[in-house]
Amino acid sequence: MAAEAAAHVNQGALSAIFNVGNGASPAVSQPIVQCVQIKPLAGQPGAPERFRVVFNDILNYVQSMLATQANHVIHEGKLKKGCFVRLKTFQANQVKNKRILIVLDLEVLEELGECEKLGNPKGLDPNPEEDVKPQPTTISSNGFYGNKPQQQQLPVQQQSLPTRTNAATSSHANIYPIEGLSPYAHKWTIKARCTNKSDIKTWHNKNGEGKLFSVNLLDESGEIRGTGFNDQCDAFYEVFQEGGVYYITSPCKVQLAKKQFTNLNNDYELMFERDTAVEKAEEQDGVPQVRFNFTNVGDLQTVEKDTTIDTIGILKEVGETSQIISKTTSKPYDKRELTLVDNTGYSVRLTIWGNTATSFDVPPESVIAFKGVKVSDFGGRSLSLLSSGSMTVDPDIDDAHKLKGWYDAQGRTDTFATHNSMSGTVGAAGGRNDAYKTIIQVKEENLGMAEKADYFTLKATIIYVRQENIAYPACLSENCNKKVIQQDSGLWRCEACDKNHPKPEYRYIMALNVSDHTGQIWLSGFDDMGRLILGLSADDFMEMKENEPNAVENILQEATCKTWVFKCRAKMDNFQDQQRVRYQVTGASSLNYSNECGKLAEMIKLFDSI
């Protein structure tokens, strides 16, 4: 078996990859080699996995880095020690006299099997006395070294590694993949599409003042963020336009990415320097459009809080623009809430900010793809478009066409469940598996009577919603939510923030009486639960209460006789000098009939065993 596999290996191919410009013999465009080692690399927390692989062509071996887009061959269990692969797209690089092969695409040849290391290969590291300047490039099956006429050997100082001529003009011969950029790369040029450009931001502090802007750059291998400060901000801001393709040439600093400012899957980011060259590319072939990795609306419950995702949906509702005051900076921020739905049967609230909010004019029932939205557990699961994110209306992609077809066929008349706090996300986030209790068990077991709070899950039906004091006027300042009081001037004052606001934002304080087959109990909850139970914001409810009292009665009546699964917290509370147990809802969801049937089946099995 080993002899048969060895016959397929392209001996000398690895050496030829690095020495084609130095008179190496021709080789095949997609060499077959053996994998002799796989090792995961340590990276930043939350960064994508990286793997180091050693390839062997019987005569030589070389250290290689697997691009994240090729990680699937390891996750699928195909790439193993001793197996054979066909290298399809890769990039040769030299870092501190070390030769590194970055593999962007490969195919595992499972039919050749696996075996021990073939031959007695030698390393490809150059001699220390050779002064070879690193000149990285990407190699693919087109324009490969095997297709070029053999050139006369050049002096060592003029050596250059093979170039991807199909993706560059003659003035930009060495096009480097974004995936391969690192602080150790020198004299590189990338060809990338600007998928997002931020507004110019300014700062003033004790160290001075300045301004900056950032862009997201995309090529076929990956994405990276680039930032220009002060002079570079002036020089490049008008040059970069969203959707345009550009050549960016070093010197340009490659540094570790500040993850709090970027939503891209890259360990590094670029900082434009004085001599960085940015040139618009006339030809845009080979550079992809915006790359999405969508998460369905229905799957948001499985996504951790503060995760950055992409999502796509039908624009169901568009809220009015409102303004909040930042508690930290005291600056006003415009925001607008959108409601998205998709074919999972769920809806979600997504907040957009600033100019995006004030200039938003997309008609309802459009398809919108969002890149770079942050998942929040406010209201259970909600989304917020980051300043580095972007949105694309009616994109020409398969996901958008499928959504539009579904919506036109049936989605327009469907009803949608929400994530507004509810699917037990609070309990799940804390790692608790709260036991199911009946109401009589909650009381007989004295839950909440101890010093620490008790948590439980309750399946119960709403029989009454208390209308008195159902909402309160809250402060508009970010993360405040304190009650405000209307002044004689008509303004609303928050004593906690020491600020006046032109209007409040109403927030729910709910009191529900719920019942199961064993008894009744009062549950309390806040704004997120109110939005879920009643299906509208407290602002809308209070406006309706003032103008359409009959409609309010209908809404409250409609909320009753519905069964929910409540995640609850029981804790002793003091009220008017009396102690009582307060049962507060921390999460809720509508019934999952499949899960409920499973629980009933388990109960039946218990009876069968008696």
Side-chain angles (χ1 to χ4, degrees), residues 66-87:
L66 199 65
T68 55
Q69 66 201 53
N71 282 353
H72 64 91
V73 295
I74 292 180
H75 297 153
E76 294 167 2
K78 293 181 179 179
L79 187 64
K80 303 175 183 177
K81 182 179 178 180
C83 74
F84 296 86
V85 303
R86 176 180 286 111
L87 304 179

Side-chain angles (χ1 to χ4, degrees), residues 436-464:
Y436 269 81
K437 302 287 184 182
T438 61
I439 291 175
I440 196 169
Q441 287 175 320
V442 171
K443 295 180 178 179
E444 290 181 349
E445 295 177 14
N446 293 321
L447 297 185
M449 299 291 286
E451 184 177 348
K452 292 185 177 180
D454 292 311
Y455 296 85
F456 62 93
T457 302
L458 175 68
K459 182 176 72 172
T461 302
I462 298 174
I463 58 176
Y464 180 70

Side-chain angles (χ1 to χ4, degrees), residues 272-338:
F272 303 132
E273 298 182 341
R274 183 183 62 182
D275 295 325
T276 301
V278 178
E279 177 186 343
K280 185 172 178 63
E282 296 302 326
E283 70 288 344
Q284 301 192 6
D285 297 339
V287 183
Q289 302 289 333
V290 179
R291 178 179 293 160
F292 295 101
N293 184 19
F294 291 126
T295 297
N296 292 332
V297 175
D299 293 336
L300 291 177
Q301 291 292 351
T302 64
V303 180
E304 292 292 330
K305 174 181 177 291
D306 294 331
T307 302
T308 300
I309 64 166
D310 304 337
T311 193
I312 186 171
I314 300 289
L315 180 62
K316 190 70 173 177
E317 296 176 5
V318 181
E320 295 296 324
T321 304
S322 60
Q323 197 172 78
I324 64 170
I325 307 298
S326 171
K327 193 173 182 179
T328 55
T329 64
S330 299
K331 292 182 179 179
Y333 290 93
D334 295 309
K335 71 170 188 174
R336 187 192 296 265
E337 289 188 350
L338 313 177

Side-chain angles (χ1 to χ4, degrees), residues 114 126 132 179 203 208 582 607:
E114 302 165 23
V132 181
E179 176 72 29
W203 76 86
R582 184 181 183 187
F607 284 108

Side-chain angles (χ1 to χ4, degrees), residues 469-544:
N469 301 320
I470 196 172
Y472 73 96
C475 177
L476 288 174
S477 297
E478 188 178 11
N479 298 323
C480 179
N481 299 334
K482 299 294 184 181
K483 185 176 181 179
V484 294
I485 300 173
Q486 191 171 23
Q487 306 294 300
D488 294 338
S489 62
L491 297 176
W492 295 78
R493 178 165 180 77
C494 176
E495 295 295 340
C497 295
D498 192 24
K499 290 185 177 69
N500 293 322
H501 303 288
K503 64 176 182 177
E505 178 187 29
Y506 280 93
R507 297 178 62 83
Y508 287 113
I509 41 176
M510 300 287 291
L512 307 175
N513 190 257
V514 301
S515 173
D516 67 5
H517 63 286
T518 67
Q520 298 179 7
I521 198 172
W522 282 95
L523 302 178
S524 63
F526 296 104
D527 193 61
D528 45 14
M529 189 180 77
R531 286 174 179 266
L532 175 70
I533 300 299
L534 300 182
L536 74 168
S537 70
D539 279 330
D540 293 339
F541 182 90
M542 296 304 289
E543 183 180 353
M544 190 177 293

Side-chain angles (χ1 to χ4, degrees), residues 83-275:
C83 74
F84 296 86
V85 303
R86 176 180 286 111
L87 304 179
K88 301 175 73 174
T89 307
F90 45 90
Q91 170 258 322
N93 191 19
Q94 255 177 226
V95 178
K96 295 182 179 180
N97 284 332
K98 293 286 186 181
R99 287 177 170 176
I100 303 292
L101 191 67
I102 297 177
V103 179
L104 303 175
D105 189 19
L106 76 166
E107 175 188 358
V108 178
L109 305 176
E110 297 179 85
E111 65 273 14
L112 297 184
E114 302 165 23
C115 66
E116 294 297 320
K117 181 176 68 175
L118 296 176
N120 187 23
K122 298 179 180 180
L124 271 181
D125 291 347
N127 295 326
E129 62 269 17
E130 288 185 357
D131 181 22
V132 181
K133 296 182 180 180
Q135 297 185 20
T137 179
T138 294
I139 309 172
S140 66
S141 57
N142 297 323
F144 194 77
Y145 55 87
N147 299 330
K148 298 196 298 182
Q150 192 167 345
Q151 298 177 354
Q152 187 176 359
Q153 184 168 347
L154 299 174
V156 171
Q157 64 269 22
Q158 295 180 13
Q159 281 186 348
S160 66
L161 299 180
T163 62
R164 187 177 63 177
T165 55
N166 63 312
T169 64
S170 58
S171 61
H172 298 94
N174 292 336
I175 299 301
Y176 204 95
I178 286 176
E179 176 72 29
L181 288 176
S182 76
Y184 307 106
H186 305 284
K187 293 188 178 179
W188 50 261
T189 296
I190 60 172
K191 181 182 180 183
R193 186 181 302 277
C194 174
T195 59
N196 178 259
K197 183 177 76 168
S198 74
D199 295 329
I200 293 178
K201 300 176 183 178
T202 59
W203 76 86
H204 305 268
N205 56 37
K206 62 181 181 181
N207 297 322
E209 59 184 40
K211 55 186 173 182
L212 65 88
F213 84 105
S214 62
V215 290
N216 291 349
L217 302 170
L218 167 73
D219 72 4
E220 60 187 4
S221 73
E223 295 177 273
I224 195 167
R225 179 174 183 257
T227 303
F229 291 87
N230 299 323
D231 291 344
Q232 283 65 51
C233 179
D234 294 333
F236 297 134
Y237 186 78
E238 295 300 332
V239 175
F240 283 107
Q241 299 297 327
E242 289 188 6
V245 177
Y246 301 87
Y247 293 109
I248 298 98
T249 303
S250 62
C252 181
K253 187 175 182 181
V254 183
Q255 62 184 16
L256 286 174
K258 297 179 178 65
K259 291 298 185 180
Q260 67 269 35
F261 300 125
T262 179
N263 60 291
L264 302 182
N265 264 337
N266 199 318
D267 289 342
Y268 301 108
E269 63 185 10
L270 303 179
M271 184 184 296
F272 303 132
E273 298 182 341
R274 183 183 62 182
D275 295 325

